[in-house]
């Protein structure tokens, strides 16, 4: 799985951080998503898929997802 984020779309809701804190973080000043791991381990894939599905701005893109 490869993860990409569009920081221009991010609205800073933070749902991705709540669902997959090993993969996503937020900037301290603006709350915009920070991608910590663009190729997360398989055990994190379900959480990353959930984070992408609940992102209100659709700012998380996945490819190569099983």
């Amino acid at each position: 799985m490869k993860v990409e984020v569009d920081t221009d779309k991010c609205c800073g809701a933070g749902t991705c951080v709540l669902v997959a804190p090993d993969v996503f973080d937020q900037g301290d000043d603006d709350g915009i998503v920070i991608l910590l791991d663009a190729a997360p381990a398989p055990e994190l894939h379900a959480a990353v898929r959930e984070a992408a599905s609940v992102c209100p701005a659709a700012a998380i893109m996945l490819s190569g997802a099983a």
Side-chain angles (χ1 to χ4, degrees), residues 34-63:
I34 298 170
L35 182 59
L36 301 174
D37 188 355
E43 61 268 22
L44 299 173
H45 288 187
V48 172
R49 281 192 292 273
E50 182 179 352
S53 71
V54 299
C55 176
I60 300 170
M61 289 74 63
L62 307 178
S63 59

Side-chain angles (χ1 to χ4, degrees), residues 8-48:
D8 290 334
K9 285 185 174 180
C10 180
C11 64
T15 52
C16 57
V17 179
L18 294 173
V19 174
D22 292 329
V23 179
F24 303 101
D25 198 358
Q26 287 180 282
D28 290 333
D29 295 334
D30 56 10
I32 299 299
V33 64
I34 298 170
L35 182 59
L36 301 174
D37 188 355
E43 61 268 22
L44 299 173
H45 288 187
V48 172

